[in-house]
Amino acid sequence: PEGVVYGAQGPFGRFKVAAKVAVSLPSYQTIHLGKQSSCTKNNCGWVQEETMMESIQKQLGLSYTQVASIASWENIEYAVHQGPGDFFSHAGANAPMTLNDPVLQDLAQKAATDLPERWHASKKDEYTAQMSLHYLEQYCPRLMYISFLGSDELGHLNDYAGYIKALKTYDDFMDELYTKLESMGEYGKSTTVFLSTDHGRGVGPFFRHHSVMKFTEKKIFLFVKGPHTKKMGRTRKKSHDQTYIRTTVEKIFGLPLTHNQNYLKEVVQE
């Protein structure tokens, strides 16, 4: 097995949504805060406290391009920082391109006209993927956050076949990401990748929703692979949640843990 997976059905350990509700912005804010957000809907506005990305950039003295967030959904902006800030961020189809980078500029222009079916302020995942891989290679950020949207859009449209197809494109992206990292020498070898989601989905006729059945929609997963991650596959550890992500990232960077001392010990070199 490669890396470690938290959360699964059956006898394996659980990984849960830590937000008050299984809704996107509350979950994303919870992840970046490292504690439960007071937000309970998708129009809460900017997060009100220092986020993981803001804190790490400040503590390590990182430049504008050394920290980056690239997202399909425009509201990710409200989770990664408290306002347009000191690191590169491009969320949605209409976000301004703040770097003089011809490749990123071209992709941003295409994303602004080739829009998703349901949410026209968002950009298609294919542009998020291309922008992310280019940014990774061009700028070698110390901390990078990538967020997709298409599967959730298809879920809300009750398009199960399209939903599964979207998940397979994420598998393909992970293959491309690891291929890219393998070509980047020591930078790639020293990179730790976290893969998770903001919420699950309802079962059966509730598949298109994700805020009505808390016991299924709060069950999610986390996959982590890095230079110090134990190669153990699925773990039977009892229970973890989204708040462990920030503290584990802080531990990897050798920084003080924020809000609590809980972190994923299978991921970090002690």
Side-chain angles (χ1 to χ4, degrees), residues 51-166:
T51 67
M52 170 178 65
M53 301 184 80
E54 291 174 317
S55 174
I56 291 174
Q57 182 185 35
K58 181 172 69 175
Q59 291 185 75
L60 297 181
L62 302 179
S63 69
Y64 184 80
T65 56
Q66 286 181 302
V67 177
S69 172
I70 299 175
S72 297
W73 189 39
E74 67 278 8
N75 282 10
I76 291 295
E77 279 287 274
Y78 301 128
V80 297
H81 50 198
Q82 298 171 83
D86 297 326
F87 60 83
F88 177 76
S89 180
H90 193 276
N94 301 311
M97 176 49 63
T98 57
L99 289 176
N100 185 22
D101 182 310
V103 175
L104 292 178
Q105 290 172 339
D106 179 62
L107 290 169
Q109 289 176 359
K110 290 178 179 177
T113 55
D114 183 16
L115 299 172
E117 179 179 349
R118 181 181 173 96
W119 289 306
H120 297 316
S122 302
K123 64 173 170 276
K124 288 183 176 180
D125 288 339
E126 62 186 272
Y127 299 115
T128 298
Q130 291 175 53
M131 290 176 74
S132 299
L133 292 172
H134 170 77
Y135 194 99
L136 181 72
E137 184 174 39
Q138 187 71 22
Y139 299 99
C140 298
R142 293 290 305 281
L143 179 63
M144 185 175 187
Y145 181 72
I146 305 168
S147 178
F148 295 120
L149 176 68
S151 60
D152 191 52
E153 178 186 30
L154 292 161
H156 283 295
L157 292 171
N158 207 29
D159 182 354
Y160 185 75
Y163 175 80
I164 296 300
K165 184 177 179 180

Side-chain angles (χ1 to χ4, degrees), residues 228 230 251 263-270:
H228 304 300
K230 293 182 179 178
K251 192 75 173 176
Y263 64 93
L264 302 171
K265 294 178 174 59
E266 297 79 16
V267 174
V268 180
Q269 184 179 38
E270 297 292 347

Side-chain angles (χ1 to χ4, degrees), residues 12-87:
F12 296 100
R14 294 178 179 178
F15 194 81
K16 299 179 293 184
V17 170
K20 293 181 178 180
V21 291
V23 176
S24 294
L25 186 56
S27 287
Y28 287 126
Q29 288 193 354
T30 294
I31 291 169
H32 286 273
L33 285 172
K35 67 176 184 177
Q36 188 179 78
S37 170
S38 61
C39 178
T40 58
K41 52 191 177 181
N42 281 333
N43 59 350
C44 292
W46 298 100
V47 65
Q48 297 298 305
E49 297 179 54
E50 189 174 63
T51 67
M52 170 178 65
M53 301 184 80
E54 291 174 317
S55 174
I56 291 174
Q57 182 185 35
K58 181 172 69 175
Q59 291 185 75
L60 297 181
L62 302 179
S63 69
Y64 184 80
T65 56
Q66 286 181 302
V67 177
S69 172
I70 299 175
S72 297
W73 189 39
E74 67 278 8
N75 282 10
I76 291 295
E77 279 287 274
Y78 301 128
V80 297
H81 50 198
Q82 298 171 83
D86 297 326
F87 60 83

Side-chain angles (χ1 to χ4, degrees), residues 238-253:
K238 289 184 178 180
S239 184
H240 302 89
D241 62 45
Q242 292 168 323
T243 63
Y244 283 68
I245 295 175
R246 175 171 178 167
T247 49
T248 304
V249 173
E250 290 170 335
K251 192 75 173 176
I252 290 171
F253 278 107

